[in-house]
Each structure stands twice: as C-alpha cells, then as structure tokens.
C-alpha cells in the first residue's frame, strides 16, 4: 500500500501556502521571470488496473469544488454525465473490450480529466494574460477573473479537456486541487479513492510506484502493462498505469501519442510573426511610396478638359484609341 | 442595390452617377445610401480589426480596453462580424457589376510602374474603377466570405457543438490569416485614397470634381456626359464600351 498522506495539521504554520505566484513558470499571453528555485514536481498517478468504477473520486471532486451537475438521463451506460462539463472536471469513462489474445471481456475504466501537461497546449493557445498559469510543481491552473471565454484553450488542448461555462463564460477544468496541495493535502479524488487506484506524491515517487505496479501486473500476465506519461507533451503531472500501455486509445480514446497540434503551433507561432510583419510592411510601403512618388494631384488642365467635355467642346481624342 | 438601369447602359454606371455644372464640373459618384452603406462597412471592419488583433497577439491585448474588457471583446466581435457581412453584401450588390474586369485593366496593370510614378498621361481610359480598385473589391469579397464562414465555426458560444476540435483549429488559423490579408487590403485601400488627391470627397460628399474623373476614370466621365445629354450619344466616342455606339473619335464642335 502506498503510504497515505497525513491529515492536515491544525498548526497555524501549516496553512501557509506552499506555492504562489512567485512559482510561475508559464503564464498565458505573458512573459514570466523564471523563479530561482523550483518546487519539486508533483504528480497524480491513476492506476487504471485497480479502479473499480465506484465514482467516489468523481463525487469528491464535485463536493470539494462545490460543483453541481444537473440531473441528467440514463443513456444505458455507466458514463454519467456523458462527457466532461464545466462542472464535471473528472469523469469515469467505461469501455468494454474483447481481448482477442486472452478471449476475456475486459472492463476498462479510465478517470478522464486534465493531465497537467508539462507543455500545456491550453496555455499556449490562450490569448488572455494570466488566464492560465503553470507552477514549477507542474500544476496548470485557470484564473477565472482573467478568462475571456474565447475557447482557444479547447483548441490548444490535445486531450479535449477544458469546457466553457454557459453561466459565467469562463473555462473550467481540473485544478489538481491546487488549493489543497498548496496546504500540503492531496487532491480530493485521491483522498476519496477506496482502492488506492489514485495516489499522489512527487513525480519521482509516482514513477517509482508505477514501476512497482507494472512489475506486479507483468508478473500476472499483462505483458504490455506500462506507464502513460506521454513525452509528446513533455510528460504529464497526471499519469496512468495501463494494462495495455501499447494501446492507450483502448481506454475511451486516450490519445496514443499526444502533442500540441501542428495547426495550433503554426497559428500561435509563425502566423503571429508573419502577420505582424506583413501588416507592418503594407503600412511602411505606403509611407515610402508617398515619400518617393508624392501625391497624385488633379491639375487645372484636368478640370478644364472635364469642363470642355461636359460642354461638348472636347477636342481630345480618347486615350488608348489609336 | 443597383437601380434598374436603362437598357444597354454601360456596366460601370451606378444609380446616382451623374455630371452636373460646367465650370467646375461636378461628378456625382456615390449617392447617400451607398455612402452610408460604405461607412457602416468601414466602421465595422475597423472595429473587427481592432478587437480581433487584441486577441491575435498579447502585445495588443490592451486594445480590449476599448471594448470594456476581454469578455466584452470576445462577445461583441462576432456580432460586429455579422454587421460587416450584411453591410458588405449590400455593397457587393451595388458594386459588383462595375468591378467586372475589362480589357483596359490589363493594359493599366501592364503600366503599373507609370501608375505608381504618377505618370498618368499614357494610361488607358478607365471606367468607374481601375484594376487596383477592382482588386480591393474582389479580394475583400473573398476574404470576408472566408472570415464569416471560419468565424462562425470558432463562435463557440453558439456553434461549438457543430464542428470537431480539429476543424476549429483549422478555422481559427484560416480566420487569423484571412484577417491579416484583409487588414493589408484595407491599408492599400485607405492609402490609395490618401495618395490620389480628391478621392475622399467621393465618400464624404458623394461628389468628385470633373478633373478628378477626367484624370482617373475618363471613360466613365464620357459615359456620364452622354447620359446627361442623350442627343450627344451619337457624337461622343466610346472607345472601350461594347454597348456604346461606335463613332469617330473626333467630333465637330
Ligand atoms: C465576418 C464575420 C466574423 C465573425 C463571425 C468573426 C468571429 C470571430 C470569432 C468567434 C473569433 C474568436 C474570438 C471571439 O470569440 O470573439 C474571432 C477572432 C478573430 N477575428 Fe473575427 N470574425 C469575423 C470577422 C473578422 C474580420 C473582418 C476581422 C479583421 C479584419 C477579424 C479578425 C479577427 C482576428 C484577428 C481574430 C483573432 C484570431 C487569433 O486570435 O488568432 N474577424 N473572430
Ligand atoms: S477561454 Fe479563458 S482560459 Fe480558455 S483560452 Fe480563452 S481566455 Fe484562456
Ligand atoms: S490536458 Fe489540456 S487542459 Fe490540461 S494542461 Fe494539458 S493542455 Fe491544458
Ligand atoms: S474513486 Fe478510485 S476506484 Fe472509485 S472510480 Fe475513482 S479512481 Fe476508480
């Protein structure tokens, strides 16, 4: 068993936040001065092989974050609601898979939610300064007072995570319980999980624990068991242990090799420079032309010719008419 | 909207175009409705460019202040886009016929060096619009079509369920690129009006001087003079008009 995180201390000192704005490594649409000391990277490890699908984590998330989901419909499946929403930051997704090798019907249950990418596409796409931040401990957090509700984060995210609220028109997703972690607690979902399918600690601890779990799984015949910490987004601070790490997409479409879309990189990269340069060049060309060629002025003769034409005394043959 | 035109009138004469006075000659180029239509289009294009650019690059995010903040900028931009689209569509109906390319545009473009050096003597006589103006017209038409279609795809508040994220990514990129080109075309358009003196009054008062029309759009001026006095029709040369009567370029005074 992974040693549980002790309950919060009641000592005054304990409520002092462990990290703050001084620990930002990225801030949307802004430059940040990198902090001199970096926090230890933390991570949440979701061991899909231990999950029993009880949804205690999903409920704990609603409860801790004071979120309320409308009463929905039963669609005949266990997924409820059917997708992430501005209130559902985490969602259990159920997949039935007929394993052709073993002949077993496997029930794959994945806890979906923000992966807290080391290279977050949401933050890259966001146009509003300070609406999305990344702390040196790896947490990617949204600041609602700076969010303008444009939905660019949705286009940037390789995991289809953020959702815009129809009430306050700002984007929502899992915060990794940044408010709990700031005071030395683990995320609410982790605390609620009855099987330790969710564990929380430093990223190194989580990798070591995952290795132990994977060894165990392999010894039980899951030869492709492995850790999901996708390098395409620089690794994540929410990782999965998968029985079939060679086929992540089995798990309700978890991307096999996620990375920030090339289209998003072009949009947020070369397009900005190209655009500013082209518009600047157009304006400069105008100025330069005016300086060199000068204005094109109507002359007195032009006015006279027009007068003659109008009064029918035009003797000039039309130009270009040989 | 183009008023019904007399049968056989040249394509570049729009409703309200007319010559009046003799010395100085005044040429009516845009009637009030066309000018209002133009300025609504212009105002919405500028507001769209400013609000859009504020989201395009963090350096210009402060421009959202003009729309009382980022949330309002995000909200209002697509609505102004709709105004632009409908307003421009009206302009399109008004102007498209006069913007059809003709043979003289080719000659004019071949002599673009002379145009840029203000050497107007050797240029062909032109109808209501030159090839540069036609370029602005058609490229804006195409770009606004791209902007409205991609803009609706990325208008998440109402249209997010209808397209996939991959399509939205392409749409936002296309929208940004089309916006850049539209702003460049707009810069060219405004610069041309500053460079070619006497142009602004066409859109402020609806009137240009006869000299301006003679210098830049002589074929159009000739057509209008004919229109004023139908009896001259047979006498005034129409060198480039397919529909105009052909006659000797020289006529007795
Ligand atoms: C014609 C109808 C148009 C519609 C429906 C439309 C809609 C949108 C929408 C929905 C956005 C995303 C931000 C937001 O939600 O407000 C956007 C962004 C933008 N729009 Fe438009 N727009 C239109 C026309 C224009 C025009 C004419 C321009 C400029 C000349 C323009 C320039 C921009 C720019 C620069 C962005 C930011 C793109 C980026 O962040 O890279 N738009 N537009
Ligand atoms: S919706 Fe909010 S968080 Fe998402 S990109 Fe726009 S401003 Fe940033
Ligand atoms: S999973 Fe999506 S929302 Fe979460 S940090 Fe990565 S890019 Fe951002
Ligand atoms: S609380 Fe644990 S066991 Fe229950 S659904 Fe969540 S991850 Fe699975």
């Amino acid at each position: 068993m992974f040693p549980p995180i002790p309950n919060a201390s009641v000592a005054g000192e304990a409520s002092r936040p462990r990290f703050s704005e001084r620990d930002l490594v990225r801030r949307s649409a802004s430059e940040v001065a990198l902090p001199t000391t970096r926090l230890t990277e933390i991570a949440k490890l979701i061991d899909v092989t231990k999950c029993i699908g009880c949804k205690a984590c999903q409920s704990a998330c609603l409860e801790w974050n004071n979120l309320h989901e409308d009463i929905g419909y039963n669609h005949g499946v266990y997924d409820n609601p059917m997708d992430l929403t501005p209130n559902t930051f985490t969602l259990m997704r159920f997949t039935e898979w007929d394993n052709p090798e073993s002949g077993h019907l496997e029930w794959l249950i994945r806890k979906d939610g923000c992966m807290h990418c080391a290279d977050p596409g949401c933050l890259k796409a966001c146009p509003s300064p300070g609406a999305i931040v990344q702390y040196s401990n790896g947490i990617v957090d949204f600041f609602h007072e700076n969010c303008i509700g444009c939905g660019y984060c949705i286009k940037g995210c390789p995991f289809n995570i953020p959702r815009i609220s129809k009430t306050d028109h700002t984007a929502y997703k899992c915060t990794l319980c940044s408010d709990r972690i700031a005071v030395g607690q683990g995320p609410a979902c982790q605390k609620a999980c009855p099987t330790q399918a969710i564990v929380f600690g430093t990223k190194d601890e989580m990798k070591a624990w995952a290795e132990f779990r994977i060894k165990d799984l392999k010894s039980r015949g899951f030869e492709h068991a492995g850790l999901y910490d996708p390098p395409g987004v620089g690794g994540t601070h929410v990782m999965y242990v998968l029985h079939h790490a060679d086929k992540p997409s089995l798990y309700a479409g978890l991307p096999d090799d996620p990375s920030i879309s090339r289209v998003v990189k072009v949009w947020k990269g070369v397009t900005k420079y190209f655009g500013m340069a082209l518009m600047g060049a157009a304006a400069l060309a105008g100025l330069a032309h005016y300086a060199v060629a000068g204005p094109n002025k109507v002359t007195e003769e032009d006015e006279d010719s027009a007068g003659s034409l109008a009064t029918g005394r035009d003797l000039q043959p039309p130009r270009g008419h040989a | 909207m183009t008023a019904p035109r007399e049968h056989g009138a040249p394509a570049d004469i729009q409703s309200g175009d007319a010559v009046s006075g003799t010395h100085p000659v005044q040429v009516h180029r845009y009637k009030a409705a066309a000018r209002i239509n133009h300025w609504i289009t212009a105002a919405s294009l500028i507001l769209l460019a400013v609000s859009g650019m504020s989201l395009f690059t963090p350096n210009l995010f402060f421009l959202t202040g003009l729309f009382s903040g980022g949330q309002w900028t995000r909200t209002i931009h697509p609505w102004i886009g709709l105004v632009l689209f409908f307003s421009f569509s009206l302009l399109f109906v008004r102007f498209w016929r006069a913007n059809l390319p003709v043979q003289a545009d080719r000659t004019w473009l071949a002599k673009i060096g002379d145009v840029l050096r203000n050497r107007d003597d050797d240029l062909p006589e032109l109808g209501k619009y030159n090839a540069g103006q036609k370029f602005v017209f058609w490229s804006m038409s195409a770009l606004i079509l791209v902007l409205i279609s991609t803009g609706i795809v990325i208008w998440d508040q109402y249209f997010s369920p209808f397209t996939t994220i991959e399509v939205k990514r392409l749409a936002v990129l296309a929208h940004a690129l089309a916006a850049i080109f539209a702003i460049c075309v707009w810069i060219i358009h405004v610069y041309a009006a500053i460079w070619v003196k006497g142009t602004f009054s066409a859109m402020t008062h609806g009137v240009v001087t006869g000299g301006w029309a003679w210098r830049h759009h002589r074929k159009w001026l000739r057509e209008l003079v004919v229109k004023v006095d139908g009896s001259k029709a047979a006498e005034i040369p129409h060198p480039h008009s397919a529909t105009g009567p052909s006659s000797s370029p020289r006529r007795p005074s």
Side-chain angles (χ1 to χ4, degrees), chain B residues 9-250:
Chain B
D12 62 341
I13 294 190
Q14 291 162 358
S15 111
D17 290 0
V19 183
S20 70
T22 49
H23 218 96
V25 182
Q26 296 237 302
V27 189
H28 299 265
R29 192 162 163 90
Y30 295 111
K31 55 184 186 175
R35 279 178 278 143
I36 293 167
N37 195 172
H38 172 269
W39 287 117
I40 291 174
T41 311
S44 41
L45 190 86
I46 292 166
L47 290 172
L48 283 160
V50 172
S51 55
M53 288 319 293
S54 73
L55 303 185
F56 179 67
T57 160
N59 299 326
L60 297 177
F61 189 81
F62 71 92
L63 291 172
T64 56
L66 296 172
F67 304 86
S68 62
Q71 277 276 351
W72 272 110
T73 309
R74 185 266 308 157
T75 307
I76 206 165
H77 175 95
W79 289 105
I80 306 173
L82 290 188
V83 174
L84 174 81
F85 178 72
F86 288 113
S87 179
F88 187 85
S89 300
L90 274 180
L91 274 191
F92 185 90
V93 173
R94 285 180 200 282
F95 294 167
W96 73 273
R97 208 181 288 270
N99 278 284
L100 293 174
V102 297
Q103 190 56 41
D105 295 332
R106 228 179 247 274
T107 326
W108 187 87
L109 278 176
K111 297 185 175 178
I112 192 74
D114 286 347
V115 175
L116 290 173
R117 281 186 220 104
N118 295 333
R119 289 192 201 139
D120 295 10
D121 315 327
D122 199 25
L123 298 174
E125 297 198 355
L126 295 175
K128 185 156 183 174
Y129 298 113
N130 63 37
Q133 292 163 308
K134 289 177 184 178
F135 164 78
V136 168
F137 176 83
W138 289 109
S139 52
M140 268 301 178
S141 306
L143 289 167
I144 287 173
L145 218 52
V146 174
L147 284 164
I148 181 94
S149 39
T150 56
I152 284 176
V153 171
I154 58 171
W155 197 351
D156 279 8
Q157 193 169 352
Y158 305 108
F159 301 101
S160 68
F162 302 111
T163 51
T164 63
I165 291 178
E166 191 48 49
V167 168
K168 289 185 183 63
R169 285 177 185 146
L170 290 167
V172 75
L173 174 62
H175 193 82
L177 286 170
I180 291 162
F181 293 128
I183 292 169
C184 288
V185 171
W186 177 83
I187 291 173
I188 294 170
H189 176 65
V190 173
Y191 174 69
I194 295 171
W195 163 39
V196 181
K197 297 297 166 200
T199 307
F200 262 108
S201 64
M203 268 306 165
T204 52
H205 300 85
V207 179
V208 289
T209 67
W212 186 91
W214 173 266
R215 189 176 175 88
H216 302 298
H217 302 280
R218 197 170 301 169
K219 174 171 165 285
W220 175 67
L221 180 66
R222 288 190 199 279
E223 289 161 359
L224 292 178
V225 170
V226 175
K227 196 180 140 195
V228 167
D229 184 353
S231 66
K232 288 185 195 153
E235 301 164 31
I236 295 193
H238 281 264
H240 302 292
S241 157
T243 49
S246 59
S247 72
S248 147
R250 212 168 279 274

Side-chain angles (χ1 to χ4, degrees), chain A residues 135-170:
Chain A
Y135 298 101
S136 61
N137 62 8
I139 294 179
V140 177
D141 216 354
F142 284 16
F143 275 93
H144 295 268
E145 60 273 33
N146 294 334
C147 173
I148 65 168
C150 61
Y152 287 8
C153 46
I154 299 171
K155 296 162 189 71
C157 174
F159 294 94
N160 182 13
I161 299 300
R163 297 288 183 271
I164 310 272
S165 158
K166 292 276 178 207
T167 315
D168 71 357
H169 304 288
T170 66

